[in-house]
Amino acid sequence: MGDRMERLRQKSGPVSQTKTAFVFAGGGSLGAVQVGMLRELLRAGVEADIVIGSSVGALNAAFFAGRPTLEGVDELAAIWRTLRRRDIFPVTFWGALRWFSADGLFDPSGLRRLIERNLPFERLEDAELPLHVVATDLGGGAVRLSSGPAAEAILASAAIPVVFPSVELDSRPLMDGAVSGNTPIVAALELGARRLIVLPTGFSCALAEPPKGAVARGFHALTLLIAHQMLRDLAQVPADIEVSTVPSLCPLSVSPFDFSQTDALIERAASQTRAWLADDGLSRRTVPEALFAHTH
């Protein structure tokens, strides 16, 4: 990772036009906060030239790239508000039996239906804004998907190990982008972005008790991993690249496996982003304290 950042630093130099990337991190049900962030960024007149995301961030990035307007964000909010955990992670007797014969505990057909029913395009290259999705080859390498079937790419990026089965694309089995450590930040720089607007999901720093169940604990661990990777990459972004990180929610007591607090997450994130913008947050390179390891 250090070598890749050094190459990007060496390539960095004056350009005539700034290319802005919206960078969407993963984070399970906490992805709802990105909807509130998006709403306020667009209301403030902030626009993206490219969008890139991983895991649930790939889902949000794809829906936004298909209709990058306030009306489109409102539609995305409406989709999020209808989601229930059983829609994405159906727990059934047969699903439990699959654990012994498949590489994922949950059937991804619910997530596939959600994507195919609501995404306004079928191929990544047909989105209104250039769209890129980060996944991981099971061999350990990072993969950036910029063309091809959109549903397959999003499912691959969201294929959290053990939770969902891997997805085969071009004869390569792919899984969640966070596994390779290739955050969307690095991929955005590789695409030539000169200005990054980073939309993290954060992590649950104020849970009353540890997450219950293996899957909930796994999701919590994944959000901690994503925050750690993001801190690492933000610290290594070349100095001449503009980077602004929208602050994630803190304190946060909602599990990334809990879809019952969507509306509160959206509205709280919108309110916090609005205050951050009013305080000239876009002009600061400061990394929000909420991303650093902590508890309450």
Side-chain angles (χ1 to χ4, degrees):
M1 182 65 69
D3 292 342
R4 293 171 68 198
M5 279 294 192
E6 182 58 33
R7 289 196 297 272
L8 290 167
R9 193 173 287 109
Q10 291 171 358
K11 288 169 60 179
S12 179
V15 294
S16 58
Q17 184 176 8
T18 298
K19 180 187 289 185
T20 298
F22 280 6
V23 180
F24 294 77
S29 65
L30 302 184
V33 304
Q34 293 173 338
V35 180
M37 294 172 178
L38 272 176
R39 182 202 298 167
E40 298 309 316
L41 286 169
L42 265 61
R43 284 179 174 173
V46 184
E47 297 181 348
D49 298 302
I50 60 175
V51 294
I52 183 164
S54 178
S55 199
V56 74
L59 185 69
N60 283 336
F63 283 119
F64 176 68
R67 195 178 180 198
T69 63
L70 274 171
E71 291 78 13
V73 173
D74 286 342
E75 289 180 6
L76 179 57
I79 293 169
W80 267 97
R81 289 186 174 107
T82 65
L83 290 183
R84 299 294 180 266
R85 186 166 64 190
R86 64 178 178 272
D87 298 328
I88 309 300
F89 307 105
V91 180
T92 66
F93 172 76
W94 295 113
L97 288 181
R98 288 181 69 254
W99 170 256
F100 297 100
S101 59
D103 63 347
L105 179 59
F106 296 104
D107 184 343
S109 60
L111 180 56
R112 178 184 291 278
R113 283 193 298 272
L114 172 73
I115 297 167
E116 294 178 342
R117 184 170 60 243
N118 294 287
L119 202 64
F121 54 89
E122 294 185 359
R123 298 181 64 83
L124 295 175
E125 62 267 33
D126 293 334
E128 187 168 331
L129 289 177
L131 169 64
H132 308 273
V133 170
V134 176
T136 301
D137 189 299
L138 257 65
V143 178
R144 187 178 71 240
L145 303 170
S146 305
S147 62
E152 298 300 319
I154 296 168
L155 287 169
S157 184
I160 301 167
V162 178
V163 176
F164 284 131
S166 57
V167 175
E168 188 165 308
L169 279 176
D170 297 328
S171 301
R172 291 184 299 181
L174 303 179
M175 59 183 173
D176 194 289
V179 176
S180 65
N182 184 33
T183 71
I185 291 172
V186 176
L189 294 173
E190 291 175 339
L191 287 162
R194 306 290 302 176
R195 182 191 189 205
L196 309 182
I197 309 295
V198 183
L199 287 73
T201 58
F203 58 91
S204 305
C205 56
L207 292 173
E209 57 185 6
K212 294 181 180 179
V215 175
R217 286 175 181 259
F219 264 93
H220 181 65
L222 183 65
T223 57
L224 294 173
L225 172 65
I226 291 169
H228 175 74
Q229 291 173 341
M230 184 169 287
L231 286 172
R232 175 203 62 198
D233 291 346
L234 285 169
Q236 297 185 66
V237 172
D240 60 341
I241 301 293
E242 295 181 48
V243 56
S244 303
T245 307
V246 184
S248 51
L249 299 182
C250 179
L252 184 58
S253 59
V254 179
S255 163
F257 196 49
D258 179 2
F259 285 79
S260 68
Q261 303 297 315
T262 294
D263 194 60
L265 289 173
I266 292 174
E267 296 308 320
R268 186 178 166 198
S271 176
Q272 182 168 284
T273 303
R274 191 161 55 247
W276 175 74
L277 289 167
D279 193 35
D280 211 19
L282 280 174
S283 69
R284 295 194 299 270
R285 195 183 173 97
T286 308
V287 178
E289 292 184 3
L291 282 179
F292 291 87
H294 69 281
T295 58
H296 294 273

